[in-house]
Amino acid sequence: MKISKDRQSVVETTYQLYVDNQQGEPALYEERNEEDPLLFLYGTGAFLPKFEEALDGLDEGQEFDFKIACDDAYGDYDEKKTDWLPIEIFEVDGKVDMEMLQEGRILPMIGPDGDRVMAEILTVKKDKVEMDFNHPLSGYDLIFKGKILSVRMATKEEIEHGHAHPGGSCDH
Ligand SMILES: [Zn+2]
């Protein structure tokens, strides 16, 4: 069965995601192989629209290799999306867990727009912490390579839930 943008289907695929900041070779960021493929509900727009667009029309067994420009993915890296926050907001029971505040660590935060986002700790000072609210893939062109392993109709339940059910059952 072919993937079609006109219907929701459950797609099983391998992929390698390479990130390219146009300075040097693209780097492998994430990989799912045939032993551990990605199973997802296609046609919900949960993924990048350009990602779904590029898979449209592919059949089982077909390979893909395409690039999504930064602008169509997570946008440019924005210096303004970093911010110093008072260290008190990281207090739990009146105490800051300095173990948690490691530079480079990614923490779930509420972003400037009120959304839940993952933010990276850039700098830790005695009284404040600099956080980076940019998406980890911002500033990169994304290159996807892989092979479609299977395509099937989504069940009514999967469409209602908005996600694929591996093995036919909902594990959420
Ligand atoms: Zn479910």
Side-chain angles (χ1 to χ4, degrees):
M1 187 178 130
K2 272 187 185 174
I3 298 171
S4 166
K5 62 175 166 39
D6 300 324
R7 61 165 178 254
Q8 296 195 2
S9 55
V10 172
V11 175
E12 189 183 25
T13 185
T14 69
Y15 72 86
Q16 292 172 313
L17 166 57
Y18 290 85
V19 294
D20 183 2
N21 63 2
Q22 285 137 2
Q23 298 161 5
E25 290 294 299
L28 183 62
Y29 181 82
E30 218 169 61
E31 180 172 22
R32 298 290 291 269
N33 58 26
E34 297 206 16
E35 279 76 56
D36 181 30
L38 171 73
L39 187 79
F40 74 101
L41 182 61
Y42 176 94
T44 60
F47 281 81
L48 293 169
K50 290 280 174 189
F51 178 79
E52 293 204 345
E53 227 173 79
L55 295 184
D56 181 32
L58 288 184
D59 208 342
E60 294 173 12
Q62 273 192 293
E63 296 188 0
F64 55 86
D65 181 348
F66 58 86
K67 184 174 196 162
I68 301 177
C70 175
D71 283 351
D72 293 323
Y74 296 101
D76 286 325
Y77 185 87
D78 184 354
E79 297 278 346
K80 289 200 236 43
K81 283 194 184 163
T82 65
D83 206 2
W84 286 97
L85 304 175
I87 204 157
E88 291 80 40
I89 71 161
F90 297 97
E91 281 182 359
V92 180
D93 299 329
K95 234 176 95 215
V96 177
D97 180 2
M98 291 311 285
E99 281 289 295
M100 183 186 77
L101 291 183
Q102 305 275 350
E103 288 171 14
R105 180 166 287 186
I106 310 240
L107 296 177
M109 302 283 293
I110 304 297
D113 308 325
D115 300 331
R116 263 184 88 81
V117 292
M118 301 305 282
E120 182 182 348
I121 299 172
L122 293 180
T123 320
V124 180
K125 293 256 167 90
K126 215 168 79 206
D127 57 340
K128 58 187 179 177
V129 179
E130 188 183 25
M131 302 291 296
D132 186 348
F133 290 96
N134 282 287
H135 190 281
L137 293 175
S138 64
Y140 291 106
D141 292 338
L142 308 182
I143 299 160
F144 289 94
K145 298 180 186 192
K147 184 178 172 185
I148 305 295
L149 300 179
S150 72
V151 184
R152 64 165 168 80
M153 298 296 285
T155 64
K156 199 163 153 265
E157 203 185 27
E158 285 172 320
I159 291 170
E160 277 169 10
H161 289 198
H163 56 238
H165 288 163
S169 62
C170 183
D171 58 359
H172 298 274

